[in-house]
Amino acid sequence: MNAVLQSHSPSATAREFLARRHRLFIGGQWVDPAEKADIEVFDPATEERLATVPRGGPKDIDRAVAAARKAFEGEWSKINSHDRSKLLFRLADLIDANMNLAVELEVLDNGMPRMVAHYSIAKFGADYIRYYGGWCTKILGETIPVSPQDAPNGESLTYTRREPIGVVGAIIPWNAPMIMAILKIAPALAAGCTVVLKPAELTPLTALLLGDLIRQAGIPDGVVNIVPGYGHDAGAALAAHDGVDKVAFTGSTEVGKKILLAAAGNLKRVTLELGGKSPFVVFPDADLGRVIPGAARGAFFLQGQNCMASTRLFIHEDVFEKVTRGIAQLASSFRLGPGLAQDSDLGPLISGEQRERVMGYIDAGRKSGAELLCGGDAPPGKGHFVRPTLFARTSMDMKIAREEIFGPVLCAQSFSDSDLKAVAAEANRTIYGLSGSVWTRDISTAHRMVNLIDSGQVSINCHAAVDPAIPFGGNRQSGWGREFGREGLDPYLKTKATTVMF
Ligand code: NAP
Ligand code: MG
């Protein structure tokens, strides 16, 4: 049974930040919203109020888009790629210098354990910005050999250049708030775009800290604008805005479809990083000493509120009992607690509503006849905690195996088939295709399964390897486009072709 740890208290620096009169970040200034309205921000571990932030609406989005346009056409367009790169490196250094505060705010706002916040903000915050800072000076066009019929002397030159797409609307979820903001801002700025960011209403704090750091870094006014607000209001206004050239969205598949419809008005470009229900396939020859912790980490990282989570285990029947018992034992040893408590392995879910949703799925799992091997309940007391839960003997006809739960609920089903196509067909039986992994020592089985699984990422003997340089994104209803790596820059660029006839 999981131990449940006690409450935590923020540092004086974090308390000072929380107590501030927060405002919107538009045109390089902290400003009040057009209509006075607030969002109350809560700590999911204690359910106590942490801060009050302004709630931006459509009029504020208008102002922010105008500021982003002015910067895009003005000062930002005059800054050369070397200087853009230096500004991004400066921002990364400022994140490192303010790491303790960033980590603490992230933990308080989202609930994730301190270690997870630290690792993610360092690697996918600061280092990710540096990775894209390096790209600023390497955005290249091509020269293309062509033979135009009508060149007077039969000679010509055709070349392309890559130009920034313009003003980007970025809309992000609450599961890794600071990282999500940076995943959008870094490639956009590297490409020469400007940004209006709408953070998730549940977790606006680190985005506001980022506003401070962007200003301190000397990034020109209006290049990044930050407007906390509600999705149906500020978010919808941003997605539909005629002054926005591209929307970069991360969130649910359901809202992703709304973004697409809203974007149709001016045919703005859209990239979508959406939900997942990723398979984790274990063959009998796999190294079970790695499989068991790999499966538990893959599924329960960020309390399972993780788009690439390994939520569906497909385990060969010869090792099914051993693997599922091993995962249940390990998951039961995880300590639940507030992220700032030193020994917490898992934090709370983001909200009471999310906990209810997850408990509804656990209830459905029980009723469907799946075998509950661990967890299955929410500990009493304050905080939106749910114990890590493993259901065995699930099948792809069950709701818990088909739908994205976005909580610490793992489904395990066995296979006996040696026909890899049949195994992969089960693994592919969802609307999603984000991540996935194959565990075996047989190099042919591994690569054949990689060919057969329809996901943007399929790893071998690890799950969801993430690095700023590895392209990441979904197939099917897990999304459109890729983030990370060189491919992550493409959606922020457009190609111009020029031909000169001599
Ligand atoms: P969500 O409900 O889709 O919300 C995401 C963002 O969209 C929030 O900022 C939300 O605002 C906003 N929004 C809601 N309705 C909108 C509308 N009509 N127009 C414009 N914006 C709108 O997702 P979530 O519950 O925050 O996050 C969980 C989901 O994100 C999961 O499905 C997960 O798989 C996915 N996710 C995907 C990735 C990936 O890289 N593929 C990464 C992380 C998470 P509010 O804050 O007001 O709701
Ligand atoms: Mg919060």
Side-chain angles (χ1 to χ4, degrees):
M1 186 65 117
N2 310 88
V4 182
L5 305 171
Q6 288 316 303
S7 68
H8 54 172
S9 53
S11 69
T13 321
R15 284 204 306 273
E16 184 273 323
F17 183 94
L18 295 171
R20 276 188 201 175
R21 179 170 161 241
H22 296 285
R23 302 168 91 187
L24 312 175
F25 187 60
I26 296 179
Q29 309 300 319
W30 291 104
V31 300
D32 288 324
E35 282 163 26
K36 187 159 170 36
D38 291 327
I39 297 175
E40 302 281 314
V41 183
F42 291 91
D43 178 345
T46 60
E47 301 180 41
E48 281 164 21
R49 198 183 63 81
L50 285 171
T52 302
V53 306
R55 176 186 155 185
K59 286 184 190 150
D60 304 302
I61 293 292
D62 281 345
R63 274 199 293 169
V65 171
R69 176 65 56 194
K70 187 169 168 222
F72 178 70
E73 289 173 0
E75 198 176 349
W76 194 230
S77 68
K78 298 190 186 77
I79 293 185
N80 69 42
S81 55
H82 290 277
D83 290 338
R84 271 204 326 270
S85 176
K86 281 183 207 151
L87 287 169
L88 283 170
F89 273 85
R90 212 178 291 156
L91 177 61
D93 290 347
L94 280 164
I95 291 174
D96 281 340
N98 288 274
M99 186 61 77
N100 287 342
L101 177 59
V103 164
E104 214 177 334
L105 294 176
E106 192 79 326
V107 168
L108 289 166
D109 204 357
N110 162 278
M112 68 176 75
R114 185 194 281 269
M115 286 280 288
V116 174
H118 192 280
Y119 171 79
S120 61
I121 293 174
K123 187 147 174 73
F124 304 107
D127 284 356
Y128 186 90
I129 293 173
R130 290 189 184 97
Y131 174 81
Y132 279 105
W135 271 112
C136 298
T137 49
K138 295 161 198 76
I139 297 172
L140 308 175
E142 294 178 316
T143 54
I144 301 173
V146 289
S147 44
Q149 312 287 312
D150 42 0
N153 299 309
E155 289 180 69
S156 71
L157 169 68
T158 295
Y159 66 88
T160 61
R161 70 182 150 199
R162 306 278 279 151
E163 297 178 339
I165 204 143
V167 174
V168 174
I171 302 175
I172 57 171
W174 42 258
N175 65 331
M178 188 157 185
I179 305 316
M180 291 294 157
I182 290 169
L183 293 188
K184 307 294 185 227
I185 290 171
L189 267 51
C193 297
T194 58
V195 177
V196 176
L197 171 75
K198 191 210 80 71
E201 69 186 58
L202 293 171
T203 54
L205 297 179
T206 41
L208 296 175
L209 174 66
L210 211 46
D212 269 349
L213 303 183
I214 283 165
R215 211 173 156 182
Q216 280 177 47
I219 291 173
D221 293 352
V223 171
V224 180
N225 307 272
I226 300 168
V227 183
Y230 289 166
H232 63 80
D233 186 35
L238 186 56
H241 207 290
D242 279 348
V244 171
D245 300 299
K246 170 200 160 53
V247 176
F249 173 78
T250 298
S252 60
T253 295
E254 188 191 346
V255 174
K257 292 177 185 177
K258 291 187 189 170
I259 299 286
L260 207 52
L261 293 175
N266 69 340
L267 286 182
K268 60 175 69 67
R269 314 291 169 89
V270 178
T271 43
L272 303 169
E273 292 285 349
L274 309 176
K277 190 80 181 174
S278 297
F280 184 112
V281 186
V282 183
F283 288 90
D285 67 333
D287 177 351
L288 301 189
R290 286 172 61 187
V291 164
I292 290 166
R297 236 181 282 123
F300 300 131
F301 179 71
L302 288 174
Q303 298 69 249
Q305 300 170 129
N306 159 17
C307 56
M308 54 205 168
S310 53
T311 43
R312 293 183 298 137
L313 303 180
F314 295 90
I315 308 172
H316 192 277
E317 61 181 9
D318 290 355
V319 292
F320 187 84
E321 290 298 326
K322 195 166 178 194
V323 172
T324 50
R325 258 188 280 117
I327 296 169
Q329 199 178 7
L330 183 58
S332 302
S333 75
F334 288 154
R335 291 154 299 192
L336 307 187
L340 293 183
Q342 205 174 359
D343 295 323
S344 294
D345 297 308
L346 294 181
L349 300 190
I350 191 68
S351 64
E353 193 185 326
Q354 182 72 357
R355 180 167 65 171
E356 287 314 302
R357 212 179 141 257
V358 171
M359 291 310 296
Y361 276 106
I362 291 176
D363 204 32
R366 279 206 174 90
K367 288 186 180 135
S368 65
E371 183 188 353
L372 182 68
L373 292 190
C374 69
D377 63 343
K382 287 284 183 198
H384 311 301
F385 295 95
V386 172
R387 292 187 204 279
T389 298
L390 172 60
F391 281 110
R393 309 289 165 200
T394 56
S395 81
M396 284 307 298
D397 299 321
M398 294 178 185
K399 184 178 153 87
I400 51 166
R402 270 198 326 270
E403 295 181 12
E404 183 184 50
I405 300 174
F406 225 56
V409 182
L410 177 52
C411 297
Q413 88 180 62
S414 64
F415 66 88
S416 56
D417 223 312
S418 56
D419 173 3
L420 298 189
K421 279 195 180 146
V423 179
E426 279 290 277
N428 288 334
R429 256 180 79 189
T430 73
I431 60 166
Y432 300 111
L434 191 57
S435 187
S437 56
V438 184
W439 299 71
T440 175
R441 289 184 168 100
D442 183 315
I443 189 171
S444 303
T445 302
H447 286 284
R448 285 180 60 208
M449 285 301 290
V450 168
N451 287 345
L452 291 166
I453 293 176
D454 184 9
S455 290
Q457 172 187 52
V458 187
S459 306
I460 299 171
N461 295 330
C462 62
H463 187 84
V466 186
D467 182 277
I470 302 178
F472 179 81
N475 295 352
R476 293 177 282 160
Q477 294 191 37
S478 285
W480 281 5
R482 296 290 180 265
E483 289 187 319
F484 296 78
R486 186 193 52 72
E487 280 192 57
L489 205 54
D490 289 342
Y492 297 94
L493 294 165
K494 56 191 177 190
T495 299
K496 179 175 282 171
T498 298
T499 296
V500 197
M501 290 190 184
F502 308 149

